[in-house]
Amino acid sequence: MTIIRPLAIVASIALFAPLTAGDTFVERANALYAQIPASQRSDRVLLPVIANLEPAPRGVDRPEAAALATTDGPAWSAAETWANGATQRASLDALARVASATDARRAMAFGLPYGVQGETIDLIAAGLYTELGDPPYIAGARHLYLNRLLDLQCLVHVEATRLANEGDVGGAVKVLVDWALFARQIASRETVQEMEWGMRAMTLGFERIRDVLYNDFVGERKVDTSALRAQMDRLNEDGPLGIDRLSLPRADVIGAEQLIAAVMQERGGVREGVLGQTLAKIASSSRPLQRFSEAARYQAVAAAHANWFDTTDRLTAVAEDARQRWTLNSFDIRLKQPSARALLDAQRFAVLAASLPDPAPLFDLRQRLRVESAGTRMAMAVVGYTVEFRTLPASLPSVRPFWVQRMEIDPFNPDRTPGARPPFEFFVPVRDTKAQFAANEVPRPHEMSIVTSEGNFFKSVPEDQFVLYSWGGNNSDDKARLVQNTTEVVLGADYLVWPPIMSLLREHLIATGQTP
C-alpha cells in the first residue's frame, strides 16, 4: 500500500497538541500508520519469519561486502551454506510475498509501530521493534529492527550471486527487485533515520541488478528476455517503486514537540533541572555510559536556551522550510542556499538540535535514486535488446518501442525547456568514438578513471560493450572519462550507469589479487 502524506507538515495533526491520556505523542506518531490495513502490513508477514534468521557469516556480514563477494572468494563456502539454510529460505520466501504487488494501491507497507506497545514478546526478544526508552521519547528512538534487516539484505545479495552462478540470471534479478521494492517500504517510514536506511538499501539494490546483468553480459548471456521484461515492469515508476512519491517523514517533528513539552513550561522557559537530564537521555540512548557527561553539557546551555514561544516558532519554521524545499525542482537555485535546519543555533535551540535530525541526506539520496532507478531501467532495456537481437542498439532510442515505451530522462541534465526529455548518454566504444581519433590512429577502447570509496582505478571498456551514463552532479556531459557516482559537484565527472562501477571494482580487486 502506498502511504500518501499531505503536503502541509502534520496538517491533520495539530502542532503542539496538549499531552493527554488519549493523545500521547507516541500515539500520534503511530497513528501515521493507522491507514494501513492489517492484511497489507508487510511487517506482520516478514518480521516473525526473520526472527529466526541466522546472522550473516563473516565476510558477507555487510551489504556492500555481500554484494561484492565472488564464488571464488574466501567467504563463499560459508555464505552459500548459510543461504541454503531453512530459516534463510523461509526469509527469502517471505520477502518475495511482501514485495509481490504490482499495483501501488495494493502494495504492502511496513506498519511497525514505535515502542513496545502491542508487540509480541518474541519480536521484542528478537530485537524486531523500535526501542523508545522509559519514559518513551520518539527523539531517542533506536530502530533495532533495522539491524536485523541488515542480515536479510546480506542474504539477498548472497542469494543473487548463488542464483546467477547456477545460471538463473532472471531469478537473481528478481530477488534483487524484491529487495528494492521492500526497501522502498522502509523509505516510506516516518523518521529520517528509517527513510535514509531504506533509500540507501534501494540504491545498492539497483546497482546490484546491473551488476548481475553485467556479469552475464560479458559471459554467456544466459538471461531470459521474458524474465527480464517481467522485472523491468515491476520497476515501473508508476508502480510501487514511485521514487517521486516519497515524502518527508513526520514523526521527527512530533518527537520534537514531545521533547519541548517535556523540558519546557508551556508559554514559558526551560524547566529547571530537567533539560540536561532529558537531552542527555536522548543523546546517549545507545551509549548509556555517556549520559552523565552529556547531562552536564546540556545543563550548561539551559540558562541561554530560547523560551517556549521562540522554540515552537523555530520548529514550525524549520519543518515548513524542509517541506517547501522537498517540493522544489532539483535544479532550483533555492536548494543551494542553507536550509533552516542547517542554520539552527544548536545552543539556543538545543531541544530542537537534539530531537530534529537534518533531512539534508534525504534530498541527495532522492536525486541519486532517480538516477539509479531510471538508469537501471535503461540498462536493462539495452541488455534485453542486445540479447534479443544479438547486436548492440545503433543508438539509445533504438530500444524503443521493443523494450521501453518512452525514454528515461537524465535527472542530472538541466535541460528543462518545454517538451524536453534529455536522455542518458550512450555510446559503443570504437564504433561510436572513431571521430575522437586522428585519421592515422587505430580507434581504441574507451578509457575511464573511476573514483570509488574503495579506491581509484582505471578501466578500459572494449568495443563489444556499451557505456551508459548521466551528466552527474556538475550537470555537464564530460564523456565519461572520469566517473564518480555521487550527487556532489565534481569537476569533469559523470555518473556511470553501465558498466556498473561495482562490477568494475570487483574486476579490479580480482586483477590485483584481492578476490572478494
Side-chain angles (χ1 to χ4, degrees), residues 1-4 35 103-109 184 239-240 245:
M1 174 179 184
T2 301
I3 300 176
I4 300 176
Q35 62 183 293
D103 187 330
R105 295 168 297 180
R106 295 183 175 83
M108 283 190 160
R184 171 63 173 80
R245 291 199 305 273

Side-chain angles (χ1 to χ4, degrees), residues 268-281:
V270 172
R271 298 178 192 271
E272 186 175 353
V274 174
L275 183 140
Q277 292 182 353
T278 305
L279 297 194
K281 175 182 173 62

Side-chain angles (χ1 to χ4, degrees), residues 40 115 160 169 188 197 204 207 295 309 335 345 375 446 463 465 484:
Q40 290 180 253
V169 180
S188 282
W197 193 99
L204 183 61
E207 184 170 13
F309 290 102
L335 291 177
D345 186 332
H446 180 67
E463 57 189 304
Q465 190 56 260
Q484 182 175 355

Side-chain angles (χ1 to χ4, degrees), residues 68 145 164 177-178 196 213 256-257 272 306 309-310 330 346 354 386 454:
L68 274 175
Y145 76 91
V177 173
D178 288 345
E196 182 176 351
L213 290 173
E257 298 171 37
E272 186 175 353
F309 290 102
D310 289 344
S330 59
T386 304
E454 302 290 330

Side-chain angles (χ1 to χ4, degrees), residues 14-218:
L15 282 172
F16 315 115
L19 179 60
T20 66
D23 181 27
T24 70
F25 291 100
V26 174
E27 286 173 347
R28 287 171 54 198
N30 287 334
L32 299 174
Y33 303 111
Q35 62 183 293
I36 307 173
S39 61
Q40 290 180 253
R41 279 184 53 178
S42 59
D43 54 299
R44 291 188 173 182
V45 175
L46 188 63
L47 296 188
V49 179
I50 69 169
N52 299 312
L53 181 64
E54 298 172 11
R58 185 176 181 180
V60 292
D61 50 355
R62 292 183 302 106
E64 295 79 8
L68 274 175
T70 68
T71 57
D72 295 325
W76 183 251
S77 178
E80 185 175 34
T81 299
W82 171 65
N84 282 319
T87 54
Q88 283 67 259
R89 306 315 302 172
S91 297
L92 291 169
D93 289 343
L95 174 65
R97 290 200 298 277
V98 301
S100 61
T102 56
D103 187 330
R105 295 168 297 180
R106 295 183 175 83
M108 283 190 160
F110 201 83
L112 183 71
Y114 300 120
V116 298
Q117 189 67 35
E119 292 305 298
T120 67
I121 296 297
D122 289 344
L123 290 186
I124 294 172
L128 291 166
Y129 72 108
T130 290
E131 172 62 48
L132 298 180
D134 185 18
Y137 285 112
I138 297 167
R142 296 168 58 206
H143 304 290
L144 303 180
Y145 76 91
L146 293 178
N147 297 327
R148 300 303 309 275
L149 288 182
L150 277 177
D151 281 325
L152 180 61
Q153 187 178 8
C154 292
L155 175 61
V156 164
H157 289 294
V158 170
E159 176 68 0
T161 300
R162 189 190 70 81
L163 289 170
N165 186 57
E166 293 182 352
D168 186 4
V169 180
V173 172
K174 179 187 179 300
V175 74
L176 291 166
V177 173
D178 288 345
W179 174 256
L181 293 177
F182 170 69
R184 171 63 173 80
Q185 297 174 24
I186 303 300
S188 282
R189 296 285 290 175
E190 296 288 358
T191 69
V192 167
Q193 183 182 353
E194 292 171 292
M195 185 177 187
E196 182 176 351
W197 193 99
M199 295 171 86
R200 292 190 186 281
M202 291 173 70
T203 299
L204 183 61
F206 281 125
E207 184 170 13
R208 190 71 208 288
I209 290 170
R210 302 195 306 276
D211 173 49
V212 166
L213 290 173
Y214 172 84
N215 290 329
D216 179 61
F217 195 79
V218 298

Side-chain angles (χ1 to χ4, degrees), residues 264-380:
M264 305 191 78
Q265 295 280 357
E266 185 172 352
R267 309 175 71 82
V270 172
R271 298 178 192 271
E272 186 175 353
V274 174
L275 183 140
Q277 292 182 353
T278 305
L279 297 194
K281 175 182 173 62
I282 299 301
S284 60
S285 59
S286 60
R287 305 180 304 278
L289 295 179
Q290 297 183 13
R291 186 168 300 176
F292 182 80
S293 60
E294 292 285 348
R297 180 170 70 88
Y298 280 118
Q299 198 58 42
V301 305
H305 200 285
N307 62 29
W308 183 90
F309 290 102
D310 289 344
T311 302
T312 55
D313 285 347
R314 187 55 56 92
L315 172 57
T316 301
V318 169
E320 179 62 16
D321 176 68
R323 183 199 69 79
Q324 290 183 7
R325 293 168 74 89
W326 190 257
T327 64
L328 297 176
N329 181 288
S330 59
F331 300 106
D332 196 298
I333 191 66
R334 285 172 288 181
L335 291 177
K336 298 184 182 299
Q337 305 302 316
S339 68
R341 178 60 181 85
L343 295 173
L344 186 70
D345 186 332
Q347 298 295 313
R348 187 163 183 257
F349 297 102
V351 170
L352 300 184
S355 61
L356 202 62
D358 191 345
L362 305 182
F363 288 78
D364 289 338
L365 283 167
R366 179 176 62 169
Q367 184 69 352
R368 188 170 181 186
L369 274 174
R370 287 168 172 155
V371 180
E372 286 286 332
S373 60
T376 296
R377 288 190 292 270
M378 288 309 304
M380 294 170 81

